[in-house]
Every structure is written in structure tokens, then in C-alpha cells.
């Protein structure tokens, strides 16, 4: 799993789109609940993989935005 967190200056929805190659986001998770502190859990990730993601939001007035692209790498699978 991975936890993506960020803050916005206004209350807004919280979404993360992510995938295994830059600019290619095959999954999106999040919540339409309005908040200014955002935290999204990404689950069922593959071990030892670099993921690319952007956070997205829509504020109470309907203004939308998204972040730059970021990456994280999951830990390798345990070995015996």
C-alpha cells in the first residue's frame, strides 16, 4: 500500500490517478467529500514497481486542478 496526502487552500474533493508508466494512469481512486487536508490510500500495489501519479481535486465552486506528476517505488517482495 501507499498513502498519498496533500493540502489545498480551499475545501475540495480528493482523487489520485496512478499507473506504472509516465503519463499513463490506469487507475483512479478518491472521495468526493470536501476537505482541505487530503489522504488517499492506494492498495493492492505490485512489489518492486515504480508508480507514477497525480492528485486531482474539485473545490466547492467547481474549480478543478491537478498536481504535477510524482513517483514512488514499492518495496520488493520478501524473499526466503
Amino acid at each position: 500500500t501507499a498513502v498519498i496526502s496533500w493540502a489545498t487552500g480551499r475545501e475540495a474533493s480528493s482523487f489520485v490517478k496512478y499507473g506504472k508508466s509516465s503519463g499513463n494512469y490506469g487507475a483512479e481512486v478518491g472521495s468526493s467529500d470536501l476537505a482541505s487536508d487530503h489522504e488517499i490510500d492506494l492498495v493492492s500495489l505490485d512489489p518492486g514497481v515504480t508508480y507514477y501519479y497525480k492528485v486531482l481535486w474539485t473545490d466547492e465552486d467547481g474549480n478543478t486542478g491537478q498536481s504535477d506528476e510524482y513517483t514512488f517505488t514499492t518495496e520488493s517482495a520478501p524473499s526466503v
Side-chain angles (χ1 to χ4, degrees):
T1 64
V3 178
I4 308 297
S5 59
W6 72 99
T8 51
R10 303 182 70 192
E11 290 200 335
S13 62
S14 311
F15 287 90
V16 176
K17 60 182 179 179
Y18 64 100
K20 295 180 185 178
S21 62
S22 179
N24 186 14
Y25 313 105
E28 185 174 311
V29 295
S31 171
S32 294
D33 294 340
L34 299 180
S36 55
D37 293 316
H38 310 271
E39 184 174 285
I40 301 295
D41 295 331
L42 306 182
V43 298
S44 300
L45 302 173
D46 293 334
V49 171
T50 297
Y51 284 90
Y52 299 80
Y53 72 95
K54 288 186 176 188
V55 300
L56 307 107
W57 60 88
T58 301
D59 72 15
E60 56 208 345
D61 294 328
N63 301 309
T64 60
Q66 68 178 355
S67 70
D68 292 334
E69 182 178 80
Y70 298 99
T71 64
F72 66 89
T73 302
T74 55
E75 294 183 17
S76 298
S79 60
V80 178

